[in-house]
Amino acid sequence: MKYSVITGASSGIGYETALAFAAKGKNLIIVARRLDKLEELKSRIQELNSAVDVVIVTSDLSVIDQAYTLYNDLKKYQIETWINNAGLGEGSLIADQKLEKVETMLRVNIESLTILSTLYVRDYADVEGTQLINVSSALGYAVAVGSVAYSASKYYVSAFTEGLAKELELKGAKLKAKILAPAITETEFVKKSLDAEDYDYKANMRKYHTAKQMAGFMVDLYDSNEVLGIVDQNYDFNLRGPIYPVISEF
């Protein structure tokens, strides 16, 4: 039995992606910190498609040891797709940002993502039909003043994954590495990055996508042969090749 792993599945893009993958008949391993939200998601998935097997795993990816534990605990499963969706933001000027919050963000956005990506590639590079999808951001391709540290962390995700995709291509690997780069999406993300009790997207944002729309884009990327799925300045979704220039040392 094959499974798709989705981190950050308790809300937003991860939550909706799990529902979208369940609609495709994919067995799921859903990962997040909040057990109650994962249990709610599992119930919804089983209402949608009772034939789908759903495994719940709680993990806090801001604790690096838990990234290793998560991967090792899942070695008993055959994983055809690994989606690193978990991510945090920081919405403040650099001089005003809370460094403890930034440290946590970097551990989730960069360190745990790198660890999980590397471990998955080591085990599955030569397995037909496998995919690694890392969720970056449109701000992983453009610097956002007021969210510079977040933007820089997503630059890392984009560059790391585009480079990985090229390495896999040069080696003739069967695993495909891809990047989803959303723009503003209606999730808990902005509220958490601003440390706000609530956030009204309709009142504050000229354009945005819903999490369900973005999950649809995730499926489009999954079904495509392209490396990158990115939302442009007009909020159109584009499937395309890598953006960063690559220097091959092979």
Side-chain angles (χ1 to χ4, degrees), residues 35-182:
L35 178 59
D36 59 330
K37 295 292 186 181
L38 293 177
E39 289 174 338
E40 174 195 315
L41 175 56
K42 181 175 180 176
S43 295
R44 284 197 63 190
I45 290 169
Q46 292 177 330
E47 290 172 5
L48 177 69
N49 188 345
S50 60
V52 168
D53 188 38
V54 182
V55 177
I56 288 175
V57 181
T58 56
S59 183
D60 183 352
L61 295 177
S62 70
V63 180
I64 299 305
D65 285 348
Q66 290 197 29
Y68 286 101
T69 300
L70 170 64
Y71 191 83
N72 289 332
D73 287 348
L74 298 186
K75 279 202 163 189
K76 59 190 174 186
Y77 298 99
Q78 186 177 357
I79 300 170
E80 65 175 351
T81 308
W82 190 293
I83 299 175
N84 282 315
N85 167 72
L88 298 174
E90 164 59 285
S92 59
L93 298 173
I94 290 175
D96 299 327
Q97 64 189 4
K98 299 173 183 176
L99 283 176
E100 183 177 348
K101 186 177 179 182
V102 173
E103 288 177 7
T104 301
M105 177 185 72
L106 296 178
R107 287 194 294 269
V108 175
N109 293 10
I110 294 178
E111 294 182 47
S112 285
L113 178 140
T114 303
I115 291 163
L116 294 171
S117 297
T118 302
L119 294 173
Y120 184 64
V121 168
R122 285 179 181 175
D123 287 342
Y124 286 90
D126 295 320
V127 179
E128 191 68 49
T130 53
Q131 293 193 36
L132 169 71
I133 302 177
N134 286 333
V135 177
S136 179
S137 170
L139 299 184
Y141 294 92
V143 176
V145 173
S147 299
V148 169
Y150 169 74
S151 183
S153 76
K154 291 302 188 177
Y155 263 73
Y156 175 88
V157 174
S158 297
F160 172 80
T161 313
E162 287 195 10
L164 171 59
K166 176 56 69 173
E167 287 186 358
L168 291 169
E169 177 190 329
L170 291 173
K171 288 184 174 182
K174 295 175 181 176
L175 185 150
K176 304 298 182 186
K178 299 179 178 180
I179 305 143
L180 182 71

